[in-house]
Amino acid sequence: MTVTAHEANTSPQAIAAIEDALRAFAKALRAVQLYLPNNPTRAQGIEQARLAFARLWPLMGTLELEIHEASFTVDGQVVYHDTERGAESLPWLLFRDGLRSLSFHPGFEGEDLPAMLGLVHKARVASNEDDDLVTLLWVADLAHVAYRFVESTGGGVFVLASGDRPAVAAPTPGELPLAVPTADAQPPGERPPGLVRLDDFESTLYFLEPREALYLRDELKREYTEDQRRLVLASLFDMIELQPILDVQLEALSILDQLVLEFLTLGEFDLVAYALREAAATARLPGIDPRAAQGLRELPARLSEPQAVSELLHALEEGARAPVATLLEGLFRELRSTALGPLVAWLGAASASPARAAIERAALRLAGANTGELAKLLEQPQPAVVRGALRLAAQLATPAAVPGLARILRGTDAKLRVEAVTALAEIGSPSALQALERGIDDIDRDVRVATYRAIRSRQHSAALPRLLDAIRRKELRVADLGEKMALFEAFGGLCGDAGVTELDTILNSRGLLGAKAPPDLRASAARALGLVATRAAAAALQKAADTKDVVVRSAVARAMRGGT
Amino acid sequence: MTTPSGSGGTTRAEGAINDPGAQKVARAFVVAMNGALRAIRLYPVENTAVQKAIAELGSSAERVREVDGSCALRRVGDFLFVNDTRLRLAFDNYAAVASLLGMYREAGIGGLEVLEVPPPRAWVVLLSFLQSPPLEYPAEERLAQLVSRLDAANVPQFELYAASDESQGAGEDLDARERARQTYMRSLDVTREVITSARIGRSPGLKRVKRAVQGIVDAILTDSASMIGLTTLREFDDYTFVHSVNVCILSVALGRRLGLTKIQLLDLGLAALLHDIGKSRVPLELLNKRGPLDPADRLSLQTHTWQGVLALFALPTGGVRPWRSMTAAYEHHMRTDLSGYPKPARPRTLSLYSKIIAVTDGFDAATTTRVYQDAPWTPADVLLGMRDNPSLGLDPVVVKAFINLTGIYPVSTLVVLDTFELAIVIAANPEATALSRPLVRIVMDDRGNLTNDPTLVDLTVRTPTNQFARTIIRTEDPQRYGINIGDYFA
């Protein structure tokens, strides 16, 4: 007996298969709701749904579901039931958004099924103002799904048929559609079939010249590559600048305020930078109402407040992607000096954040434009602030930072003192180098070593007396070889012949029991004599050429050769 | 219960739907019934407003009976039939139709027939019962309950009957023109709501607007000629709303010709529908002012462009703001050389969508009777002006594309043929090369007689001697002949 299509659709076997498919769909939807895309449970749920739908097609040509508040029916038979109202109920979710029937065609289990799951999930979490499921379905334009929905009006209800997928050219992925598709003319009255090929499109602009067609294509491309938000921002600034009514200016300003926050939240720093630049420029125009000008000036000022900057830094840290340094620079360039405090505090405290490099580079720009503020920050009591400011000061090498750095050298944090020495060396001004000398007498070995090296690299001969004092100090005897070498290298690099006598004494003076100085000190002295490199120095080295101590002999030999 | 008569009489229905006389009478009856229902809902029965509405209803029912021999109002799917006349939706009746359809559905009835001339009391009883249907019963039992109530109230003048097959007259049977009309009315409704709400400081969301534009896009993609034909309907009082819908339709149609995708058409359509939303911030007195505008008025009106940007910011839009619509609202009068308004202080190049909307906006405005434009230009003259006058600041390539869309003689142009007949352009010729040979409807014969049964003619048709049977020799002003173009698209 031949089974009609209708009978096939409603046979017990078909009904059971439909129920299975819908249960599987609901389960898959739950999985999409709960798990991330890379979760195997989610993938499994979707796969089960695919298989369940694939099992339908040998039993029916199309699955036509009627949607009710709490159920789905096929030919009047309930195939899915859920009494819950609310976002958890699948029938209610569809019914609520106006859907009254869904038709699924063979092939739905391909790309359309996961797409549909995504759309339903999106509709489930949508707010009142977001697109509902009908709109989402329309935009998605699924090839194997048709639907009917109701539209509520003030006076009644219209039922509409939709999802017929009227013929329209679809672009090749990654390409913009042609402004002038080439196609054959359609016979009058015939609807083009559902299609994806541009060539099937209705006949059009055959008479346009090729350059005109290209022009339209380029214009369409520009339509979708140009940032519309920037155009709208320009419109708002135009209003402030050109419309004479203050209320209008203030309304535009209020919108700008809001937009800047929104763009910041989205990480659209170039737009924020553009807004701040335009705000600054517009505020300076002669015809602007003072109140509007004040509002414009307040825009970057508000963004520069510590709380706002902290929020920005927090957002950058938490962001999924590291921010682009150039975009951040553009933004930071527009901020006021009050933004520097929270920035350096963050730099001083932040560990290995992916955003660090970009923030530091951008902060450097801001600091460079506000060195006075940076200098003040060096004198803050919070170590993180000082640390951050130190880093920037070192990179900027600004003389304005010298007093602050000198203060740090008098502080208790040895690590900071080392950084201060480095920063002073980078600055290299006379006052910086003079301040740096204090490190010669520092209680911390690393500070002293950094100081000796800095003095040597900067050829700061004014420090020679203090270096000599350091050499003569008894404490030097207990210093490690590294420190001794650093000190003597600094001394030797600066003293010239005037220092040979001192060095000769250390290298060659003998007592009853042999050389007076310990071998490492003598070796350091030999090193220094090598750096002096005069005849007197060479003569002093020669005297120790045959010394019995291997370490000293080796150092002397190296110094005489000119090796380092 | 009787089966409604003429339910299978599609020929008669098709004829009746095109019969302006039958439509008019049917329309009046439906509007009167809706008016009476509202009056009963709002006022006590003794109130004169109710009595007046009931009297009007009785009169209109009698007129239907005089014309058709009977008076029945039935619902088939989403349509109302007055006897065999399927009521065509129009500006003055679509809300009433929607209301009656909803009432019939809720009451579980398919229709009612007026068996004899009912006294006013009978009407009051009937309408009261229809407004308060027995909802405590399942839908399929409500009809029987209503009939029982009428019997108990001793009101024998009416017969109620069940709904016919819901699928009859529903989407599948809906011809393209009717579908287009429904889409047009719905879009008009939405546009009116958005702009009116914006004017009074309420903030309707964009959801319904998007839905309306989707409907227009679907309609254009299915049958653009029907939708474009509807742009010829001109309702003076609703100009802003009608104009917005027309510009949307024309822009989407043009966009389709340019090969835009569905999503791009949605973007363009949304921008076009909202391009004049800034007028919600312009005083109504100025929008409706008769006669020429003085310079101050003109300047005030011109603010609707940037006012549109501010108005769009006030709309709740969910996750994404309508940036493209804001740009179009701002730019659509700027002109390609930026000599229009508003003058930008910052350099910019008009977006493509702004240029498209500038063309369609200009075309619709120039071809419409306005408060300050009693004699609109003919469509053909407008197109010529757009093509030949660069000072209008329109993109010449977009204008060229628009002319290709509309044909040299756009839909609704009244033309004189070389046979001395008068005809109205109904659609561009499907033959793409036949720009000057559209499809026309002959409305006046060579002797100057109006034709009652207008014939559709393809001007590319040739005689046996291979000459064109008919050729347009010039356009004409319809007002000169007392012809209302809209009647041929209604």
Side-chain angles (χ1 to χ4, degrees):
Chain A
M1 184 177 78
T2 307
V3 175
T4 64
H6 179 75
E7 286 168 345
N9 275 354
T10 53
S11 68
Q13 197 183 2
I15 294 293
I18 293 170
E19 287 170 346
D20 278 346
L22 292 174
R23 270 196 297 270
F25 186 88
K27 267 191 181 170
L29 184 61
R30 189 94 182 121
V32 164
Q33 185 184 344
L34 292 174
Y35 303 110
L36 291 173
N38 59 354
N39 188 293
T41 307
R42 174 170 162 152
Q44 194 181 7
I46 294 175
E47 186 57 28
Q48 295 296 329
R50 277 196 215 268
L51 292 171
F53 270 88
R55 285 193 288 271
L56 288 178
W57 311 130
L59 301 169
M60 64 192 68
T62 303
L63 170 59
E64 311 244 356
L65 284 183
E66 295 298 318
I67 299 167
H68 309 275
E69 288 184 19
S71 63
F72 300 135
T73 61
V74 171
D75 290 339
Q77 293 191 58
V78 174
V79 290
Y80 185 92
H81 184 68
D82 190 342
T83 50
E84 261 193 69
R85 285 263 181 118
E88 295 308 309
S89 164
L90 184 55
W92 172 245
L93 177 63
L94 272 55
F95 187 87
R96 172 199 77 181
D97 281 1
L99 284 168
R100 292 295 178 265
S101 78
L102 276 171
S103 302
F104 300 99
H105 302 277
F108 168 70
E109 67 277 9
E111 290 178 359
D112 285 1
L113 187 146
M116 184 86 180
L117 287 168
L119 294 179
V120 174
H121 176 59
K122 196 170 175 184
R124 179 170 267 172
V125 300
S127 72
N128 272 345
E129 300 310 327
D130 290 331
D131 291 339
D132 60 17
L133 190 51
V134 171
T135 297
L136 292 173
L137 278 169
W138 189 93
V139 171
D141 203 21
L142 302 178
H144 303 92
V145 177
Y147 52 93
R148 286 166 60 88
F149 64 96
V150 295
E151 180 90 59
S152 228
T153 67
V157 170
F158 290 107
V159 177
L160 308 158
S162 190
D164 288 342
R165 304 197 81 239
V168 64
T172 308
E175 288 183 11
L176 286 168
L178 292 174
V180 183
T182 57
D184 300 323
Q186 292 289 326
E190 255 193 45
R191 277 175 57 175
L195 75 154
V196 289
R197 290 173 50 231
L198 290 174
D199 285 348
D200 291 342
F201 199 72
E202 186 174 324
S203 171
T204 165
L205 313 166
Y206 71 99
F207 64 94
L208 277 186
E209 294 168 29
R211 66 171 177 81
E212 290 173 336
L214 273 175
Y215 164 77
L216 285 175
R217 190 196 308 228
D218 289 344
E219 283 294 286
L220 183 61
K221 187 175 179 180
R222 184 170 67 85
E223 177 74 34
Y224 281 92
T225 50
E226 198 167 21
D227 192 338
Q228 296 286 323
R229 298 169 299 179
R230 185 181 279 251
L231 291 175
V232 173
L233 280 176
S235 310
L236 291 168
F237 281 110
D238 279 356
M239 279 182 231
I240 294 173
E241 187 175 331
L242 298 174
Q243 298 309 322
I245 304 171
L246 179 62
D247 281 349
V248 171
Q249 296 175 14
L250 294 178
E251 186 178 355
L253 200 48
S254 154
I255 292 171
L256 278 170
D257 252 2
Q258 181 63 30
L259 286 180
V260 163
L261 277 174
E262 286 178 16
F263 293 149
L264 271 177
T265 308
L266 293 170
E268 300 286 359
F269 302 122
D270 56 338
L271 286 174
V272 177
Y274 172 76
L276 295 181
R277 266 197 310 279
E278 288 295 321
T282 308
R284 289 192 291 267
L285 291 172
I288 301 295
D289 185 283
R291 276 167 291 181
Q294 177 63 22
L296 287 167
R297 282 191 290 270
E298 280 172 10
L299 207 53
R302 267 204 302 282
L303 270 181
S304 306
E305 283 169 13
Q307 182 62 28
V309 176
S310 298
E311 287 291 306
L312 170 62
L313 291 169
H314 182 70
L316 290 170
E317 259 191 305
E318 299 290 315
R321 293 170 296 169
V324 177
T326 46
L327 295 179
L328 265 187
E329 272 178 55
L331 168 62
F332 282 21
R333 195 180 305 135
E334 306 300 327
L335 297 180
R336 300 291 157 77
S337 60
T338 47
L340 205 48
L343 270 174
V344 300
W346 186 88
L347 284 171
S351 54
S353 162
R356 188 186 176 89
I359 293 172
E360 188 163 338
R361 192 171 133 184
L364 200 61
R365 278 267 189 171
L366 180 62
N370 296 279
T371 52
E373 182 68 24
L374 182 67
K376 284 187 202 163
L377 289 170
L378 285 168
E379 299 184 21
Q380 291 287 316
Q382 301 94 337
V385 173
V386 172
R387 200 170 293 123
L390 247 180
R391 287 178 69 99
L392 293 179
Q395 292 180 68
L396 284 172
T398 169
V402 169
L405 292 170
R407 188 193 69 80
I408 292 171
L409 262 185
R410 294 191 293 272
T412 55
D413 189 325
K415 281 191 180 153
L416 280 179
R417 296 202 301 274
V418 171
E419 291 191 42
V421 165
T422 309
L424 285 165
E426 288 293 324
I427 294 168
S429 64
S431 59
L433 295 175
Q434 189 178 13
L436 184 155
E437 287 178 26
R438 188 188 172 84
I440 295 172
D441 301 319
D442 198 281
I443 59 170
D444 185 84
R445 178 257 181 204
D446 288 339
V447 177
R448 293 192 299 269
V449 168
T451 305
Y452 301 149
R453 289 182 177 148
I455 289 171
R456 181 190 169 190
S457 71
R458 282 296 183 174
Q459 292 287 296
H460 180 48
S461 52
L464 266 173
R466 291 180 83 156
L467 287 175
L468 189 56
D469 286 343
I471 285 172
R472 289 174 179 170
R473 270 204 286 270
K474 285 185 184 159
E475 289 83 0
L476 185 61
R477 289 179 176 258
V478 300
D480 59 74
L481 179 60
E483 183 178 349
K484 286 175 179 139
M485 277 290 181
L487 173 57
F488 276 86
E489 280 173 359
F491 184 79
L494 293 172
C495 65
D497 266 339
V500 170
T501 306
E502 184 73 25
L503 292 170
D504 187 8
T505 304
I506 295 172
L507 178 61
N508 294 312
S509 67
R510 300 185 69 81
L512 286 174
L513 300 174
K516 276 188 179 173
D520 55 353
L521 210 61
R522 294 176 67 204
S524 300
R527 169 90 182 101
L529 283 166
L531 288 172
V532 172
T534 60
R535 258 197 212 169
L541 281 170
Q542 186 62 45
K543 282 192 259 182
D546 295 328
T547 184
K548 287 182 185 154
D549 190 286
V550 169
V551 169
V552 176
R553 193 166 64 240
S554 168
V556 166
R558 214 167 25 247
M560 288 173 77
R561 281 198 305 269
T564 55
Chain B
M1 277 184 298
T2 58
T3 308
S5 61
S7 58
T10 50
T11 305
R12 171 89 203 280
E14 277 183 3
I17 200 173
N18 288 321
D19 175 0
Q23 280 292 320
K24 196 172 166 186
V25 170
R27 205 175 294 164
F29 176 52
V30 163
V31 170
M33 175 168 279
N34 189 58
L37 278 163
R38 287 188 66 203
I40 288 174
R41 191 181 311 140
L42 292 172
Y43 306 110
V45 169
E46 315 76 46
N47 189 291
T48 49
V50 174
Q51 292 173 12
K52 196 172 162 191
I54 293 295
E56 177 56 36
L57 176 57
S59 303
S60 60
E62 271 315 292
R63 278 197 290 278
V64 170
R65 188 192 295 282
E66 281 164 20
V67 167
D68 272 354
S70 61
C71 179
L73 180 66
R74 58 196 175 94
R75 171 178 73 92
V76 180
D78 303 312
F79 294 93
L80 280 184
F81 282 75
V82 175
N83 295 325
D84 293 327
T85 300
R86 191 170 82 188
L87 189 70
R88 172 164 282 148
L89 292 179
F91 290 101
D92 62 352
N93 74 9
Y94 71 95
V97 169
S99 179
L100 288 175
L101 281 173
M103 183 189 72
Y104 269 35
R105 274 203 193 88
E106 205 167 60
I109 65 172
L112 72 90
E113 185 165 357
V114 184
L115 299 174
E116 52 189 78
V117 178
R121 176 195 166 264
W123 280 114
V124 171
V125 169
L126 171 73
L127 297 182
S128 302
F129 284 167
L130 287 178
Q131 281 202 108
S132 307
L135 296 177
E136 64 273 23
Y137 292 91
E140 57 273 17
E141 291 179 28
R142 289 176 198 164
L143 170 62
Q145 289 299 319
L146 280 169
V147 170
S148 166
R149 285 184 187 180
L150 284 173
D151 286 344
N154 196 24
V155 174
Q157 292 86 3
F158 304 102
E159 180 150 9
L160 305 180
Y161 41 83
S164 55
D165 183 359
E166 285 284 337
S167 65
Q168 186 181 353
E172 294 81 28
D173 292 347
L174 194 57
D175 70 16
R177 284 178 62 183
E178 269 307 310
R179 219 185 295 195
R181 284 183 65 82
Q182 280 200 2
T183 300
Y184 190 92
M185 297 304 169
R186 196 164 50 251
S187 305
L188 187 65
D189 193 40
V190 166
T191 307
R192 180 183 286 123
E193 183 195 337
V194 167
I195 295 182
T196 305
S197 296
R199 181 175 286 284
I200 62 177
R202 279 172 37 202
S203 301
L206 271 189
K207 249 163 76 160
R208 284 193 72 207
V209 180
K210 259 192 182 174
R211 193 73 73 80
V213 176
Q214 286 163 13
I216 289 176
V217 170
D218 283 341
I220 289 288
L221 293 174
T222 311
D223 178 7
S224 62
S226 293
M227 280 309 287
I228 293 174
L230 288 169
T231 64
T232 63
L233 298 176
R234 305 291 181 201
E235 280 292 322
F236 185 81
D237 288 342
D238 283 341
Y239 172 70
T240 300
F241 315 133
V242 170
H243 171 65
S244 295
V245 174
N246 288 350
V247 170
C248 178
I249 290 169
L250 293 170
S251 298
V252 170
L254 181 52
R256 183 191 180 218
R257 281 301 181 102
L258 298 179
L260 270 57
T261 65
K262 204 166 136 176
I263 310 304
Q264 289 167 342
L265 289 174
L266 176 63
D267 288 342
L268 173 57
L270 196 60
L273 196 65
L274 296 172
H275 79 284
D276 268 350
I277 192 170
K279 287 188 178 170
S280 63
R281 294 173 157 226
V282 174
L284 265 178
E285 314 79 74
L286 180 56
L287 290 179
N288 294 331
K289 185 177 176 182
R290 290 196 169 275
L293 299 175
D294 62 36
D297 289 340
R298 201 177 303 280
L299 280 175
S300 185
L301 190 57
Q302 288 176 358
T303 66
H304 79 274
T305 50
W306 54 263
Q307 298 265 31
V309 177
L310 300 179
L312 286 169
F313 268 110
L315 295 185
T317 55
V320 182
R321 294 191 187 276
W323 302 107
R324 192 161 276 108
S325 299
M326 291 177 188
T327 299
Y330 192 69
E331 290 183 346
H332 71 278
H333 282 297
M334 258 189 194
R335 299 186 180 172
T336 51
D337 59 1
L338 305 184
S339 63
Y341 60 90
K343 291 269 185 295
R346 287 154 184 78
R348 70 196 294 149
T349 309
L350 293 201
S351 73
L352 175 62
Y353 289 3
S354 298
K355 288 191 265 198
I356 289 173
I357 292 168
V359 168
T360 57
D361 177 38
F363 177 80
D364 188 70
T367 54
T368 304
T369 303
R370 311 268 290 279
V371 283
Y372 51 84
Q373 182 177 273
D374 286 335
W377 290 41
T378 65
D381 287 341
V382 172
L383 290 181
L384 269 175
M386 283 182 165
R387 189 193 67 184
D388 297 337
N389 188 354
S391 69
L392 290 176
L394 301 172
D395 186 302
V397 179
V398 174
V399 170
K400 198 170 178 182
F402 187 65
I403 291 174
N404 175 259
L405 169 73
T406 62
I408 290 171
Y409 303 103
V411 168
S412 84
T413 305
L414 184 69
V415 294
V416 180
L417 305 177
D418 59 355
T419 53
F420 302 110
E421 296 161 303
L422 271 184
I424 294 175
V425 175
I426 299 299
N429 200 298
E431 170 56 50
T433 56
L435 285 179
S436 61
R437 296 191 168 276
L439 305 180
V440 302
R441 180 157 281 168
I442 310 290
V443 297
M444 194 178 276
D445 65 19
D446 57 352
R447 296 189 184 182
N449 301 316
L450 281 172
T451 58
N452 285 331
D453 190 19
T455 310
L456 193 62
V457 168
D458 182 344
L459 293 184
T460 59
V461 166
R462 293 179 186 265
T463 63
T465 57
N466 206 33
Q467 304 296 313
F468 285 114
R470 291 177 170 94
T471 299
I472 294 172
I473 55 175
R474 70 167 192 272
T475 62
E476 258 298 354
D477 179 3
Q479 289 186 3
R480 216 174 136 210
Y481 293 89
I483 291 173
N484 184 8
I485 298 291
D487 286 346
Y488 295 88
F489 294 92

mmCIF file of all heavy atoms in Angstrom, chain B residues 64-81:
data_model
loop_
_atom_site.group_PDB
_atom_site.id
_atom_site.type_symbol
_atom_site.label_atom_id
_atom_site.label_comp_id
_atom_site.label_asym_id
_atom_site.label_seq_id
_atom_site.Cartn_x
_atom_site.Cartn_y
_atom_site.Cartn_z
ATOM 1 N N VAL B 64 -25.193 48.303 1.726
ATOM 2 C CA VAL B 64 -24.590 47.051 1.240
ATOM 3 C C VAL B 64 -25.684 46.159 0.662
ATOM 4 O O VAL B 64 -25.528 45.573 -0.413
ATOM 5 C CB VAL B 64 -23.845 46.326 2.386
ATOM 6 C CG1 VAL B 64 -23.423 44.919 1.954
ATOM 7 C CG2 VAL B 64 -22.624 47.120 2.816
ATOM 8 N N ARG B 65 -26.781 46.076 1.378
ATOM 9 C CA ARG B 65 -27.880 45.210 0.912
ATOM 10 C C ARG B 65 -28.418 45.720 -0.416
ATOM 11 O O ARG B 65 -28.734 44.942 -1.314
ATOM 12 C CB ARG B 65 -28.979 45.169 1.965
ATOM 13 C CG ARG B 65 -30.081 44.147 1.671
ATOM 14 C CD ARG B 65 -31.258 44.389 2.594
ATOM 15 N NE ARG B 65 -30.872 44.134 3.982
ATOM 16 C CZ ARG B 65 -30.751 42.910 4.504
ATOM 17 N NH1 ARG B 65 -30.988 41.838 3.779
ATOM 18 N NH2 ARG B 65 -30.397 42.771 5.766
ATOM 19 N N GLU B 66 -28.507 47.021 -0.557
ATOM 20 C CA GLU B 66 -29.028 47.601 -1.811
ATOM 21 C C GLU B 66 -28.099 47.252 -2.969
ATOM 22 O O GLU B 66 -28.546 46.968 -4.079
ATOM 23 C CB GLU B 66 -29.136 49.113 -1.697
ATOM 24 C CG GLU B 66 -30.363 49.597 -0.939
ATOM 25 C CD GLU B 66 -30.217 51.057 -0.510
ATOM 26 O OE1 GLU B 66 -29.375 51.787 -1.111
ATOM 27 O OE2 GLU B 66 -30.903 51.445 0.448
ATOM 28 N N VAL B 67 -26.808 47.295 -2.713
ATOM 29 C CA VAL B 67 -25.848 47.057 -3.803
ATOM 30 C C VAL B 67 -25.765 45.568 -4.125
ATOM 31 O O VAL B 67 -25.740 45.179 -5.287
ATOM 32 C CB VAL B 67 -24.457 47.598 -3.396
ATOM 33 C CG1 VAL B 67 -23.364 47.098 -4.331
ATOM 34 C CG2 VAL B 67 -24.471 49.117 -3.348
ATOM 35 N N ASP B 68 -25.714 44.739 -3.097
ATOM 36 C CA ASP B 68 -25.403 43.326 -3.307
ATOM 37 C C ASP B 68 -26.578 42.397 -3.131
ATOM 38 O O ASP B 68 -26.469 41.211 -3.436
ATOM 39 C CB ASP B 68 -24.314 42.893 -2.299
ATOM 40 C CG ASP B 68 -22.914 43.136 -2.831
ATOM 41 O OD1 ASP B 68 -22.792 43.517 -4.000
ATOM 42 O OD2 ASP B 68 -21.944 42.929 -2.066
ATOM 43 N N GLY B 69 -27.640 42.898 -2.533
ATOM 44 C CA GLY B 69 -28.790 42.040 -2.271
ATOM 45 C C GLY B 69 -28.727 41.339 -0.932
ATOM 46 O O GLY B 69 -29.672 40.703 -0.504
ATOM 47 N N SER B 70 -27.613 41.413 -0.269
ATOM 48 C CA SER B 70 -27.495 40.826 1.063
ATOM 49 C C SER B 70 -26.398 41.578 1.785
ATOM 50 O O SER B 70 -25.695 42.408 1.192
ATOM 51 C CB SER B 70 -27.156 39.330 0.978
ATOM 52 O OG SER B 70 -25.908 39.164 0.326
ATOM 53 N N CYS B 71 -26.299 41.254 3.094
ATOM 54 C CA CYS B 71 -25.250 41.939 3.862
ATOM 55 C C CYS B 71 -24.620 40.934 4.809
ATOM 56 O O CYS B 71 -25.249 40.505 5.785
ATOM 57 C CB CYS B 71 -25.864 43.108 4.638
ATOM 58 S SG CYS B 71 -24.627 43.979 5.633
ATOM 59 N N ALA B 72 -23.409 40.541 4.491
ATOM 60 C CA ALA B 72 -22.687 39.591 5.342
ATOM 61 C C ALA B 72 -21.245 40.080 5.477
ATOM 62 O O ALA B 72 -20.652 40.558 4.514
ATOM 63 C CB ALA B 72 -22.722 38.188 4.738
ATOM 64 N N LEU B 73 -20.739 39.921 6.672
ATOM 65 C CA LEU B 73 -19.346 40.303 6.934
ATOM 66 C C LEU B 73 -18.642 39.051 7.443
ATOM 67 O O LEU B 73 -19.001 38.523 8.494
ATOM 68 C CB LEU B 73 -19.281 41.410 7.985
ATOM 69 C CG LEU B 73 -17.874 41.894 8.355
ATOM 70 C CD1 LEU B 73 -17.196 42.582 7.187
ATOM 71 C CD2 LEU B 73 -17.936 42.849 9.558
ATOM 72 N N ARG B 74 -17.674 38.575 6.699
ATOM 73 C CA ARG B 74 -17.048 37.327 7.090
ATOM 74 C C ARG B 74 -15.533 37.445 7.046
ATOM 75 O O ARG B 74 -14.970 38.249 6.312
ATOM 76 C CB ARG B 74 -17.531 36.164 6.220
ATOM 77 C CG ARG B 74 -17.290 36.345 4.761
ATOM 78 C CD ARG B 74 -18.118 35.372 3.930
ATOM 79 N NE ARG B 74 -17.949 35.672 2.517
ATOM 80 C CZ ARG B 74 -17.058 35.067 1.731
ATOM 81 N NH1 ARG B 74 -16.283 34.120 2.216
ATOM 82 N NH2 ARG B 74 -16.934 35.413 0.461
ATOM 83 N N ARG B 75 -14.959 36.585 7.847
ATOM 84 C CA ARG B 75 -13.506 36.526 7.937
ATOM 85 C C ARG B 75 -13.041 35.260 7.226
ATOM 86 O O ARG B 75 -13.540 34.178 7.489
ATOM 87 C CB ARG B 75 -13.080 36.479 9.401
ATOM 88 C CG ARG B 75 -11.594 36.191 9.622
ATOM 89 C CD ARG B 75 -11.255 36.207 11.109
ATOM 90 N NE ARG B 75 -11.749 35.035 11.804
ATOM 91 C CZ ARG B 75 -11.045 33.924 11.994
ATOM 92 N NH1 ARG B 75 -9.820 33.819 11.513
ATOM 93 N NH2 ARG B 75 -11.569 32.910 12.669
ATOM 94 N N VAL B 76 -12.078 35.450 6.315
ATOM 95 C CA VAL B 76 -11.459 34.286 5.685
ATOM 96 C C VAL B 76 -9.952 34.481 5.813
ATOM 97 O O VAL B 76 -9.379 35.365 5.170
ATOM 98 C CB VAL B 76 -11.848 34.150 4.197
ATOM 99 C CG1 VAL B 76 -11.167 32.916 3.596
ATOM 100 C CG2 VAL B 76 -13.358 34.047 4.047
ATOM 101 N N GLY B 77 -9.366 33.706 6.680
ATOM 102 C CA GLY B 77 -7.933 33.912 6.914
ATOM 103 C C GLY B 77 -7.720 35.274 7.535
ATOM 104 O O GLY B 77 -8.313 35.597 8.573
ATOM 105 N N ASP B 78 -6.939 36.082 6.870
ATOM 106 C CA ASP B 78 -6.642 37.405 7.386
ATOM 107 C C ASP B 78 -7.353 38.492 6.614
ATOM 108 O O ASP B 78 -6.895 39.635 6.590
ATOM 109 C CB ASP B 78 -5.120 37.635 7.331
ATOM 110 C CG ASP B 78 -4.391 36.566 8.098
ATOM 111 O OD1 ASP B 78 -4.788 36.298 9.236
ATOM 112 O OD2 ASP B 78 -3.461 35.972 7.529
ATOM 113 N N PHE B 79 -8.445 38.121 5.997
ATOM 114 C CA PHE B 79 -9.178 39.093 5.187
ATOM 115 C C PHE B 79 -10.616 39.184 5.630
ATOM 116 O O PHE B 79 -11.181 38.244 6.160
ATOM 117 C CB PHE B 79 -9.135 38.697 3.705
ATOM 118 C CG PHE B 79 -7.745 38.765 3.152
ATOM 119 C CD1 PHE B 79 -6.943 37.643 3.140
ATOM 120 C CD2 PHE B 79 -7.225 39.954 2.700
ATOM 121 C CE1 PHE B 79 -5.653 37.702 2.668
ATOM 122 C CE2 PHE B 79 -5.933 40.028 2.222
ATOM 123 C CZ PHE B 79 -5.149 38.901 2.203
ATOM 124 N N LEU B 80 -11.164 40.336 5.370
ATOM 125 C CA LEU B 80 -12.581 40.533 5.595
ATOM 126 C C LEU B 80 -13.265 40.575 4.241
ATOM 127 O O LEU B 80 -12.781 41.222 3.300
ATOM 128 C CB LEU B 80 -12.835 41.857 6.319
ATOM 129 C CG LEU B 80 -12.628 41.876 7.836
ATOM 130 C CD1 LEU B 80 -13.009 43.231 8.383
ATOM 131 C CD2 LEU B 80 -13.441 40.784 8.519
ATOM 132 N N PHE B 81 -14.370 39.896 4.171
ATOM 133 C CA PHE B 81 -15.213 39.943 2.971
ATOM 134 C C PHE B 81 -16.538 40.563 3.367
ATOM 135 O O PHE B 81 -17.140 40.176 4.375
ATOM 136 C CB PHE B 81 -15.477 38.530 2.435
ATOM 137 C CG PHE B 81 -14.319 37.950 1.670
ATOM 138 C CD1 PHE B 81 -13.192 37.482 2.323
ATOM 139 C CD2 PHE B 81 -14.378 37.845 0.289
ATOM 140 C CE1 PHE B 81 -12.132 36.936 1.612
ATOM 141 C CE2 PHE B 81 -13.324 37.294 -0.430
ATOM 142 C CZ PHE B 81 -12.195 36.838 0.234
#
